[in-house]
Amino acid sequence: MSLRHAVLGLLSEAPASGYDLMKLFNVSLAEVWPATQSQVYGELGKLTTAGLVEVAAHGPRGRKEYAITDNGLTELRHWLTDVEPSGPARHDGLLRVFFLGVLTPLEARTYLLHMAADAARARARYEEIDQKTEWDEDMISVYGRLSLEYGLRMSTAHEEWAKWAAEEIGSAKARKAGERVRDRRAHKE
């Protein structure tokens, strides 16, 4: 749902400073729910005001370490169990696929092969994260690895689908559908 729950989730593992949270975001959540430093620090302020986190320790140079409160844990549990995930309601790239018949077959195949290449790059990023990460037995590692596996599998499936779709553009049915669209347009001009 929000950055709020991502921060609460990270703090449920252990207290952390804003700096520590940013490091955790960058190595664990960046591909799932990216956040900037100003967003994280702003959210910590809101969570503190709402009583969902508290300053557990003060360190040098004004460093604050935050811990989740009982109310924060209750909110996180409520979000995990009672709130339906919103998921991506829109996919701009897939919407475009519906209208590829407006393009030439070469342009349509090029678009789809670009999608396949993007998916391959995403998979390579996930593989790099997997190789560089020391997967421990802490909550973030165990469940973060599950999330990473989702990214690996989805990017693989996306790449395979885009390559298949690019080949389908050459089918007689796809060629005919595209020709009808382009012919109608040519007759209007």
Side-chain angles (χ1 to χ4, degrees):
M1 179 186 138
S2 68
L3 178 59
R4 161 178 287 218
H5 296 100
V7 171
L8 289 172
L10 291 174
L11 289 174
S12 71
E13 177 73 26
S17 68
Y19 175 79
D20 295 333
L21 286 172
M22 278 311 303
K23 287 193 326 189
L24 283 169
F25 261 96
N26 290 335
V27 299
S28 63
L29 297 178
E31 296 293 326
V32 176
W33 201 273
T36 64
Q37 181 177 343
S38 63
Q39 290 172 320
V40 169
Y41 280 94
E43 194 60 43
L44 283 169
K46 292 174 191 172
L47 290 168
T48 303
T49 301
L52 301 177
V53 302
E54 62 189 3
V55 177
H58 292 275
R61 296 180 306 278
R63 182 181 189 273
K64 295 178 185 175
E65 189 170 85
Y66 296 87
I68 192 169
T69 64
D70 289 342
N71 286 341
L73 188 56
T74 298
E75 170 61 22
L76 179 61
R77 291 178 56 78
H78 165 72
W79 177 73
L80 288 167
T81 60
D82 298 332
V83 177
E84 286 292 320
S86 59
R90 298 177 178 181
H91 189 303
D92 180 66
L94 197 52
L95 177 62
R96 293 167 193 240
V97 172
F98 274 89
F99 307 113
L100 289 180
V102 171
L103 304 177
T104 67
L106 177 60
E107 290 170 323
R109 277 194 299 275
T110 300
Y111 175 79
L112 290 163
L113 292 175
H114 180 73
M115 286 180 84
D118 285 347
R121 282 190 291 279
R123 189 182 66 252
R125 282 192 314 272
Y126 295 137
E127 288 170 346
E128 183 180 350
I129 290 168
D130 191 21
Q131 292 168 0
K132 288 183 176 180
T133 303
E134 292 184 34
W135 299 107
D136 297 324
E137 295 179 4
D138 63 351
M139 181 188 73
I140 301 298
S141 288
V142 171
Y143 293 98
R145 179 64 183 89
L146 294 177
S147 295
L148 180 68
E149 185 65 26
Y150 174 87
L152 286 165
R153 291 179 187 212
M154 290 304 289
S155 58
T156 298
H158 190 175
E159 180 184 8
E160 289 172 0
W161 169 83
K163 287 179 178 177
W164 169 83
E167 289 299 317
E168 287 294 303
I169 296 297
S171 74
K173 196 180 230 183
R175 279 195 314 273
K176 189 172 181 178
E179 287 169 5
R180 276 196 307 250
V181 169
R182 288 186 298 278
D183 285 347
R184 269 188 248 134
R185 185 74 183 149
H187 288 6
K188 278 187 159 185
E189 293 175 354

